[in-house]
Amino acid sequence: SYELTQPLSVSVALGQTARITCGGNNIGSKNVHWYQQKPGQAPVLVIYRDSNRPSGIPERFSGSNSGNTATLTISRAQAGDEADYYCQVWDSSTWVFGGGTKLTVL
Amino acid sequence: EVQLVESGGGLVQPGGSLRLSCAASGFTVSSNYMSWVRQAPGKGLEWVSVIYSGGSTYYADSVKGRFTISRDNSKNTLYLQMNSLRAEDTAVYYCARLRGSSHFDYWGQGTLVTVSS
């Protein structure tokens, strides 16, 4: 089965750029999606198909995908961006999530 | 406005059964791919099951043979019948709409299932 690897935690200073990675075998050949989840809340889609933002998601959120790594980039990080972030792909009629990354804004 | 509202969670003994419901509004369940995703306490997201618009169903290996996904088109509602429940099934269960076979674009607020004696 396909596996996605994320760092457990990432820290970023207020106003700086955070990058959260998602590793997988030849993940660049797949569509990668990203979700934000705040404590006690349901996940929210922030990036779909590698680099597309749903309506209502700030332009500060962007994504890229190449080779064995996909990356979610959050520019000008705000306190409200502090959350868990999950990457996800579709593989052989199953939907696979990464283990999640806790983003801390310092 | 798209809304998904889950219900049916609760405390159940190991080996017991529970049926979760997800009432949808703002779109037609039967015209979309619909899924259940769960999250054990303090853990990450785990896909559980999907039902395609054509009616085909798929399950994670961890629940295959024990869980059944279905829908009631007249009620615009998605269901998850869970049998032979185990302690490791304890989780918040979310229903979510799938955009094709791609990503989950709308999620419900979740319902907590606790399997314990």
Side-chain angles (χ1 to χ4, degrees):
Chain A
S1 61
Y2 195 80
E3 293 187 0
L4 296 173
T5 302
Q6 296 183 238
L8 282 176
S9 63
V10 168
S11 297
V12 61
L14 188 68
Q16 297 305 302
T17 298
R19 293 178 179 85
I20 299 172
T21 59
C22 177
N25 184 33
N26 197 26
I27 196 174
S29 66
K30 300 181 180 295
N31 288 317
V32 179
H33 321 288
W34 292 91
Y35 304 87
Q36 176 193 69
Q37 186 181 34
K38 297 181 179 180
Q41 298 184 19
V44 172
L45 180 70
V46 294
I47 292 289
Y48 65 97
R49 295 188 189 126
D50 297 341
S51 60
N52 295 278
R53 278 178 294 104
S55 60
I57 300 301
E59 291 183 8
R60 301 184 298 103
F61 288 81
S62 62
S64 63
N65 183 20
S66 178
N68 293 318
T69 304
T71 303
L72 172 68
T73 301
I74 306 171
S75 304
R76 302 181 300 282
Q78 301 178 358
D81 298 333
E82 199 162 273
D84 293 327
Y85 291 85
Y86 295 89
C87 57
Q88 174 252 312
V89 301
W90 177 83
D91 180 73
S92 303
S93 294
T94 64
W95 285 260
V96 181
F97 290 94
T101 298
K102 181 176 181 58
L103 177 67
T104 301
V105 180
L106 305 172
Chain B
E1 180 193 7
V2 170
Q3 277 198 319
L4 296 166
V5 179
E6 301 96 334
S7 60
L11 175 63
V12 61
Q13 293 188 341
S17 298
L18 213 55
R19 189 179 81 156
L20 306 183
S21 301
C22 173
S25 58
F27 73 102
T28 302
V29 165
S30 61
S31 299
N32 286 268
Y33 293 8
M34 297 295 298
S35 201
W36 289 95
V37 176
R38 68 183 180 183
Q39 185 171 36
K43 302 297 184 182
L45 301 170
E46 179 190 17
W47 171 75
V48 172
S49 182
V50 65
I51 183 167
Y52 287 173
S53 52
S56 297
T57 59
Y58 295 90
Y59 300 90
D61 288 343
S62 57
V63 306
K64 201 172 294 182
R66 300 187 299 122
F67 290 11
T68 302
I69 190 172
S70 63
R71 66 190 182 208
D72 185 327
N73 297 345
S74 65
K75 295 182 179 179
N76 209 34
T77 297
L78 179 73
Y79 300 100
L80 186 68
Q81 177 67 44
M82 303 185 297
N83 299 329
S84 303
L85 283 162
R86 307 166 180 167
E88 54 264 37
D89 295 319
T90 294
V92 173
Y93 285 73
Y94 297 99
C95 71
R97 189 179 79 170
L98 269 165
R99 286 281 71 180
S101 60
S102 179
H103 55 278
F104 304 93
D105 61 351
Y106 288 97
W107 298 67
Q109 85 288 350
T111 187
L112 176 62
V113 172
T114 303
V115 184
S116 175
S117 55

PDB file of all heavy atoms in Angstrom, chain B residues 55-81:
ATOM      1  N   GLY B  55     -22.992   3.424  -7.294  1.00  0.00           N
ATOM      2  CA  GLY B  55     -23.335   2.441  -6.276  1.00  0.00           C
ATOM      3  C   GLY B  55     -22.204   1.519  -5.848  1.00  0.00           C
ATOM      4  O   GLY B  55     -22.342   0.801  -4.853  1.00  0.00           O
ATOM      5  N   SER B  56     -21.083   1.529  -6.558  1.00  0.00           N
ATOM      6  CA  SER B  56     -19.957   0.693  -6.145  1.00  0.00           C
ATOM      7  C   SER B  56     -19.425   1.164  -4.792  1.00  0.00           C
ATOM      8  O   SER B  56     -19.447   2.358  -4.493  1.00  0.00           O
ATOM      9  CB  SER B  56     -18.839   0.768  -7.185  1.00  0.00           C
ATOM     10  OG  SER B  56     -19.258   0.262  -8.421  1.00  0.00           O
ATOM     11  N   THR B  57     -18.969   0.196  -4.007  1.00  0.00           N
ATOM     12  CA  THR B  57     -18.458   0.513  -2.670  1.00  0.00           C
ATOM     13  C   THR B  57     -17.072  -0.081  -2.473  1.00  0.00           C
ATOM     14  O   THR B  57     -16.742  -1.141  -3.041  1.00  0.00           O
ATOM     15  CB  THR B  57     -19.397  -0.026  -1.575  1.00  0.00           C
ATOM     16  OG1 THR B  57     -19.524  -1.447  -1.731  1.00  0.00           O
ATOM     17  CG2 THR B  57     -20.774   0.604  -1.669  1.00  0.00           C
ATOM     18  N   TYR B  58     -16.277   0.600  -1.670  1.00  0.00           N
ATOM     19  CA  TYR B  58     -14.939   0.136  -1.344  1.00  0.00           C
ATOM     20  C   TYR B  58     -14.678   0.411   0.129  1.00  0.00           C
ATOM     21  O   TYR B  58     -15.248   1.351   0.713  1.00  0.00           O
ATOM     22  CB  TYR B  58     -13.881   0.840  -2.209  1.00  0.00           C
ATOM     23  CG  TYR B  58     -14.005   0.515  -3.674  1.00  0.00           C
ATOM     24  CD1 TYR B  58     -14.811   1.296  -4.504  1.00  0.00           C
ATOM     25  CD2 TYR B  58     -13.338  -0.567  -4.228  1.00  0.00           C
ATOM     26  CE1 TYR B  58     -14.939   0.996  -5.849  1.00  0.00           C
ATOM     27  CE2 TYR B  58     -13.456  -0.868  -5.577  1.00  0.00           C
ATOM     28  CZ  TYR B  58     -14.261  -0.086  -6.377  1.00  0.00           C
ATOM     29  OH  TYR B  58     -14.404  -0.381  -7.704  1.00  0.00           O
ATOM     30  N   TYR B  59     -13.784  -0.415   0.710  1.00  0.00           N
ATOM     31  CA  TYR B  59     -13.513  -0.318   2.136  1.00  0.00           C
ATOM     32  C   TYR B  59     -12.019  -0.427   2.415  1.00  0.00           C
ATOM     33  O   TYR B  59     -11.282  -1.098   1.686  1.00  0.00           O
ATOM     34  CB  TYR B  59     -14.226  -1.445   2.883  1.00  0.00           C
ATOM     35  CG  TYR B  59     -15.727  -1.425   2.706  1.00  0.00           C
ATOM     36  CD1 TYR B  59     -16.328  -2.114   1.665  1.00  0.00           C
ATOM     37  CD2 TYR B  59     -16.530  -0.694   3.579  1.00  0.00           C
ATOM     38  CE1 TYR B  59     -17.708  -2.079   1.486  1.00  0.00           C
ATOM     39  CE2 TYR B  59     -17.899  -0.656   3.409  1.00  0.00           C
ATOM     40  CZ  TYR B  59     -18.481  -1.352   2.358  1.00  0.00           C
ATOM     41  OH  TYR B  59     -19.840  -1.317   2.183  1.00  0.00           O
ATOM     42  N   ALA B  60     -11.592   0.212   3.489  1.00  0.00           N
ATOM     43  CA  ALA B  60     -10.247   0.001   3.993  1.00  0.00           C
ATOM     44  C   ALA B  60     -10.146  -1.433   4.507  1.00  0.00           C
ATOM     45  O   ALA B  60     -11.132  -1.999   4.993  1.00  0.00           O
ATOM     46  CB  ALA B  60      -9.946   0.989   5.110  1.00  0.00           C
ATOM     47  N   ASP B  61      -8.959  -1.996   4.411  1.00  0.00           N
ATOM     48  CA  ASP B  61      -8.764  -3.377   4.870  1.00  0.00           C
ATOM     49  C   ASP B  61      -9.152  -3.535   6.336  1.00  0.00           C
ATOM     50  O   ASP B  61      -9.628  -4.599   6.741  1.00  0.00           O
ATOM     51  CB  ASP B  61      -7.311  -3.799   4.664  1.00  0.00           C
ATOM     52  CG  ASP B  61      -6.972  -4.022   3.200  1.00  0.00           C
ATOM     53  OD1 ASP B  61      -7.904  -4.173   2.376  1.00  0.00           O
ATOM     54  OD2 ASP B  61      -5.766  -4.060   2.877  1.00  0.00           O
ATOM     55  N   SER B  62      -8.954  -2.495   7.129  1.00  0.00           N
ATOM     56  CA  SER B  62      -9.196  -2.563   8.570  1.00  0.00           C
ATOM     57  C   SER B  62     -10.674  -2.738   8.918  1.00  0.00           C
ATOM     58  O   SER B  62     -10.993  -3.143  10.046  1.00  0.00           O
ATOM     59  CB  SER B  62      -8.656  -1.309   9.255  1.00  0.00           C
ATOM     60  OG  SER B  62      -9.249  -0.147   8.701  1.00  0.00           O
ATOM     61  N   VAL B  63     -11.573  -2.452   7.983  1.00  0.00           N
ATOM     62  CA  VAL B  63     -13.008  -2.556   8.282  1.00  0.00           C
ATOM     63  C   VAL B  63     -13.746  -3.478   7.319  1.00  0.00           C
ATOM     64  O   VAL B  63     -14.947  -3.731   7.508  1.00  0.00           O
ATOM     65  CB  VAL B  63     -13.682  -1.165   8.267  1.00  0.00           C
ATOM     66  CG1 VAL B  63     -12.954  -0.202   9.206  1.00  0.00           C
ATOM     67  CG2 VAL B  63     -13.759  -0.600   6.853  1.00  0.00           C
ATOM     68  N   LYS B  64     -13.053  -3.985   6.331  1.00  0.00           N
ATOM     69  CA  LYS B  64     -13.687  -4.827   5.318  1.00  0.00           C
ATOM     70  C   LYS B  64     -14.347  -6.047   5.967  1.00  0.00           C
ATOM     71  O   LYS B  64     -13.751  -6.707   6.827  1.00  0.00           O
ATOM     72  CB  LYS B  64     -12.639  -5.261   4.285  1.00  0.00           C
ATOM     73  CG  LYS B  64     -13.185  -5.696   2.956  1.00  0.00           C
ATOM     74  CD  LYS B  64     -12.045  -5.923   1.956  1.00  0.00           C
ATOM     75  CE  LYS B  64     -11.328  -4.641   1.619  1.00  0.00           C
ATOM     76  NZ  LYS B  64     -10.249  -4.844   0.621  1.00  0.00           N
ATOM     77  N   GLY B  65     -15.577  -6.302   5.566  1.00  0.00           N
ATOM     78  CA  GLY B  65     -16.307  -7.431   6.116  1.00  0.00           C
ATOM     79  C   GLY B  65     -17.070  -7.106   7.390  1.00  0.00           C
ATOM     80  O   GLY B  65     -17.903  -7.909   7.838  1.00  0.00           O
ATOM     81  N   ARG B  66     -16.796  -5.953   7.988  1.00  0.00           N
ATOM     82  CA  ARG B  66     -17.480  -5.560   9.235  1.00  0.00           C
ATOM     83  C   ARG B  66     -18.351  -4.310   9.041  1.00  0.00           C
ATOM     84  O   ARG B  66     -19.374  -4.162   9.710  1.00  0.00           O
ATOM     85  CB  ARG B  66     -16.449  -5.283  10.330  1.00  0.00           C
ATOM     86  CG  ARG B  66     -15.572  -6.466  10.668  1.00  0.00           C
ATOM     87  CD  ARG B  66     -14.690  -6.173  11.888  1.00  0.00           C
ATOM     88  NE  ARG B  66     -13.795  -5.056  11.679  1.00  0.00           N
ATOM     89  CZ  ARG B  66     -13.762  -3.964  12.446  1.00  0.00           C
ATOM     90  NH1 ARG B  66     -14.590  -3.840  13.474  1.00  0.00           N
ATOM     91  NH2 ARG B  66     -12.898  -2.991  12.189  1.00  0.00           N
ATOM     92  N   PHE B  67     -17.919  -3.414   8.165  1.00  0.00           N
ATOM     93  CA  PHE B  67     -18.647  -2.159   7.939  1.00  0.00           C
ATOM     94  C   PHE B  67     -19.323  -2.196   6.566  1.00  0.00           C
ATOM     95  O   PHE B  67     -18.812  -2.801   5.625  1.00  0.00           O
ATOM     96  CB  PHE B  67     -17.697  -0.966   7.973  1.00  0.00           C
ATOM     97  CG  PHE B  67     -17.132  -0.625   9.334  1.00  0.00           C
ATOM     98  CD1 PHE B  67     -17.269  -1.473  10.425  1.00  0.00           C
ATOM     99  CD2 PHE B  67     -16.453   0.575   9.521  1.00  0.00           C
ATOM    100  CE1 PHE B  67     -16.750  -1.162  11.658  1.00  0.00           C
ATOM    101  CE2 PHE B  67     -15.926   0.907  10.764  1.00  0.00           C
ATOM    102  CZ  PHE B  67     -16.071   0.034  11.829  1.00  0.00           C
ATOM    103  N   THR B  68     -20.469  -1.519   6.477  1.00  0.00           N
ATOM    104  CA  THR B  68     -21.187  -1.408   5.210  1.00  0.00           C
ATOM    105  C   THR B  68     -21.639   0.029   4.999  1.00  0.00           C
ATOM    106  O   THR B  68     -22.320   0.600   5.865  1.00  0.00           O
ATOM    107  CB  THR B  68     -22.418  -2.326   5.186  1.00  0.00           C
ATOM    108  OG1 THR B  68     -22.014  -3.683   5.416  1.00  0.00           O
ATOM    109  CG2 THR B  68     -23.121  -2.243   3.834  1.00  0.00           C
ATOM    110  N   ILE B  69     -21.251   0.579   3.867  1.00  0.00           N
ATOM    111  CA  ILE B  69     -21.681   1.933   3.510  1.00  0.00           C
ATOM    112  C   ILE B  69     -22.912   1.839   2.600  1.00  0.00           C
ATOM    113  O   ILE B  69     -23.008   0.927   1.768  1.00  0.00           O
ATOM    114  CB  ILE B  69     -20.530   2.710   2.820  1.00  0.00           C
ATOM    115  CG1 ILE B  69     -20.878   4.190   2.673  1.00  0.00           C
ATOM    116  CG2 ILE B  69     -20.178   2.091   1.473  1.00  0.00           C
ATOM    117  CD1 ILE B  69     -19.695   5.041   2.172  1.00  0.00           C
ATOM    118  N   SER B  70     -23.832   2.754   2.790  1.00  0.00           N
ATOM    119  CA  SER B  70     -25.033   2.764   1.957  1.00  0.00           C
ATOM    120  C   SER B  70     -25.604   4.177   1.936  1.00  0.00           C
ATOM    121  O   SER B  70     -25.112   5.067   2.638  1.00  0.00           O
ATOM    122  CB  SER B  70     -26.074   1.778   2.480  1.00  0.00           C
ATOM    123  OG  SER B  70     -26.512   2.156   3.776  1.00  0.00           O
ATOM    124  N   ARG B  71     -26.648   4.358   1.156  1.00  0.00           N
ATOM    125  CA  ARG B  71     -27.290   5.673   1.093  1.00  0.00           C
ATOM    126  C   ARG B  71     -28.784   5.485   0.865  1.00  0.00           C
ATOM    127  O   ARG B  71     -29.226   4.442   0.354  1.00  0.00           O
ATOM    128  CB  ARG B  71     -26.683   6.510  -0.043  1.00  0.00           C
ATOM    129  CG  ARG B  71     -26.954   5.951  -1.426  1.00  0.00           C
ATOM    130  CD  ARG B  71     -26.138   6.650  -2.498  1.00  0.00           C
ATOM    131  NE  ARG B  71     -26.467   6.096  -3.819  1.00  0.00           N
ATOM    132  CZ  ARG B  71     -25.637   6.065  -4.838  1.00  0.00           C
ATOM    133  NH1 ARG B  71     -24.401   6.558  -4.702  1.00  0.00           N
ATOM    134  NH2 ARG B  71     -26.015   5.556  -5.987  1.00  0.00           N
ATOM    135  N   ASP B  72     -29.547   6.483   1.276  1.00  0.00           N
ATOM    136  CA  ASP B  72     -30.993   6.518   1.035  1.00  0.00           C
ATOM    137  C   ASP B  72     -31.251   7.752   0.177  1.00  0.00           C
ATOM    138  O   ASP B  72     -31.168   8.883   0.684  1.00  0.00           O
ATOM    139  CB  ASP B  72     -31.753   6.594   2.351  1.00  0.00           C
ATOM    140  CG  ASP B  72     -33.264   6.520   2.157  1.00  0.00           C
ATOM    141  OD1 ASP B  72     -33.766   7.015   1.128  1.00  0.00           O
ATOM    142  OD2 ASP B  72     -33.945   5.993   3.044  1.00  0.00           O
ATOM    143  N   ASN B  73     -31.502   7.534  -1.076  1.00  0.00           N
ATOM    144  CA  ASN B  73     -31.658   8.661  -1.995  1.00  0.00           C
ATOM    145  C   ASN B  73     -32.859   9.532  -1.633  1.00  0.00           C
ATOM    146  O   ASN B  73     -32.806  10.761  -1.780  1.00  0.00           O
ATOM    147  CB  ASN B  73     -31.792   8.148  -3.429  1.00  0.00           C
ATOM    148  CG  ASN B  73     -30.549   7.414  -3.897  1.00  0.00           C
ATOM    149  OD1 ASN B  73     -29.486   7.516  -3.278  1.00  0.00           O
ATOM    150  ND2 ASN B  73     -30.676   6.651  -4.962  1.00  0.00           N
ATOM    151  N   SER B  74     -33.917   8.925  -1.125  1.00  0.00           N
ATOM    152  CA  SER B  74     -35.116   9.692  -0.791  1.00  0.00           C
ATOM    153  C   SER B  74     -34.885  10.630   0.401  1.00  0.00           C
ATOM    154  O   SER B  74     -35.525  11.663   0.515  1.00  0.00           O
ATOM    155  CB  SER B  74     -36.291   8.754  -0.489  1.00  0.00           C
ATOM    156  OG  SER B  74     -36.032   8.000   0.679  1.00  0.00           O
ATOM    157  N   LYS B  75     -33.934  10.246   1.240  1.00  0.00           N
ATOM    158  CA  LYS B  75     -33.618  11.068   2.416  1.00  0.00           C
ATOM    159  C   LYS B  75     -32.336  11.876   2.227  1.00  0.00           C
ATOM    160  O   LYS B  75     -31.942  12.636   3.119  1.00  0.00           O
ATOM    161  CB  LYS B  75     -33.491  10.182   3.660  1.00  0.00           C
ATOM    162  CG  LYS B  75     -34.787   9.495   4.057  1.00  0.00           C
ATOM    163  CD  LYS B  75     -34.612   8.671   5.321  1.00  0.00           C
ATOM    164  CE  LYS B  75     -35.931   8.015   5.730  1.00  0.00           C
ATOM    165  NZ  LYS B  75     -35.802   7.185   6.950  1.00  0.00           N
ATOM    166  N   ASN B  76     -31.689  11.678   1.096  1.00  0.00           N
ATOM    167  CA  ASN B  76     -30.412  12.344   0.823  1.00  0.00           C
ATOM    168  C   ASN B  76     -29.430  12.136   1.973  1.00  0.00           C
ATOM    169  O   ASN B  76     -28.792  13.078   2.464  1.00  0.00           O
ATOM    170  CB  ASN B  76     -30.628  13.849   0.571  1.00  0.00           C
ATOM    171  CG  ASN B  76     -29.567  14.425  -0.356  1.00  0.00           C
ATOM    172  OD1 ASN B  76     -29.083  13.757  -1.262  1.00  0.00           O
ATOM    173  ND2 ASN B  76     -29.220  15.676  -0.122  1.00  0.00           N
ATOM    174  N   THR B  77     -29.327  10.899   2.404  1.00  0.00           N
ATOM    175  CA  THR B  77     -28.556  10.564   3.593  1.00  0.00           C
ATOM    176  C   THR B  77     -27.613   9.394   3.319  1.00  0.00           C
ATOM    177  O   THR B  77     -27.970   8.446   2.627  1.00  0.00           O
ATOM    178  CB  THR B  77     -29.502  10.216   4.759  1.00  0.00           C
ATOM    179  OG1 THR B  77     -30.289  11.375   5.082  1.00  0.00           O
ATOM    180  CG2 THR B  77     -28.732   9.784   5.999  1.00  0.00           C
ATOM    181  N   LEU B  78     -26.430   9.498   3.894  1.00  0.00           N
ATOM    182  CA  LEU B  78     -25.392   8.468   3.808  1.00  0.00           C
ATOM    183  C   LEU B  78     -25.359   7.725   5.138  1.00  0.00           C
ATOM    184  O   LEU B  78     -25.602   8.323   6.198  1.00  0.00           O
ATOM    185  CB  LEU B  78     -24.042   9.139   3.556  1.00  0.00           C
ATOM    186  CG  LEU B  78     -22.808   8.250   3.455  1.00  0.00           C
ATOM    187  CD1 LEU B  78     -22.818   7.487   2.137  1.00  0.00           C
ATOM    188  CD2 LEU B  78     -21.544   9.100   3.565  1.00  0.00           C
ATOM    189  N   TYR B  79     -25.050   6.435   5.091  1.00  0.00           N
ATOM    190  CA  TYR B  79     -24.997   5.623   6.297  1.00  0.00           C
ATOM    191  C   TYR B  79     -23.697   4.831   6.365  1.00  0.00           C
ATOM    192  O   TYR B  79     -23.045   4.565   5.350  1.00  0.00           O
ATOM    193  CB  TYR B  79     -26.171   4.626   6.337  1.00  0.00           C
ATOM    194  CG  TYR B  79     -27.526   5.259   6.315  1.00  0.00           C
ATOM    195  CD1 TYR B  79     -28.263   5.319   5.135  1.00  0.00           C
ATOM    196  CD2 TYR B  79     -28.080   5.812   7.472  1.00  0.00           C
ATOM    197  CE1 TYR B  79     -29.524   5.900   5.106  1.00  0.00           C
ATOM    198  CE2 TYR B  79     -29.335   6.400   7.444  1.00  0.00           C
ATOM    199  CZ  TYR B  79     -30.046   6.441   6.264  1.00  0.00           C
ATOM    200  OH  TYR B  79     -31.284   7.031   6.237  1.00  0.00           O
ATOM    201  N   LEU B  80     -23.361   4.443   7.598  1.00  0.00           N
ATOM    202  CA  LEU B  80     -22.284   3.490   7.818  1.00  0.00           C
ATOM    203  C   LEU B  80     -22.751   2.516   8.897  1.00  0.00           C
ATOM    204  O   LEU B  80     -22.904   2.899  10.056  1.00  0.00           O
ATOM    205  CB  LEU B  80     -20.979   4.181   8.251  1.00  0.00           C
ATOM    206  CG  LEU B  80     -19.776   3.242   8.369  1.00  0.00           C
ATOM    207  CD1 LEU B  80     -19.373   2.736   6.978  1.00  0.00           C
ATOM    208  CD2 LEU B  80     -18.595   3.949   9.032  1.00  0.00           C
ATOM    209  N   GLN B  81     -22.994   1.290   8.482  1.00  0.00           N
ATOM    210  CA  GLN B  81     -23.353   0.237   9.419  1.00  0.00           C
ATOM    211  C   GLN B  81     -22.072  -0.417   9.909  1.00  0.00           C
ATOM    212  O   GLN B  81     -21.287  -0.927   9.100  1.00  0.00           O
ATOM    213  CB  GLN B  81     -24.260  -0.810   8.756  1.00  0.00           C
ATOM    214  CG  GLN B  81     -24.619  -1.982   9.642  1.00  0.00           C
ATOM    215  CD  GLN B  81     -25.505  -1.588  10.823  1.00  0.00           C
ATOM    216  OE1 GLN B  81     -26.456  -0.827  10.652  1.00  0.00           O
ATOM    217  NE2 GLN B  81     -25.196  -2.114  11.992  1.00  0.00           N
TER     218      GLN B  81
END
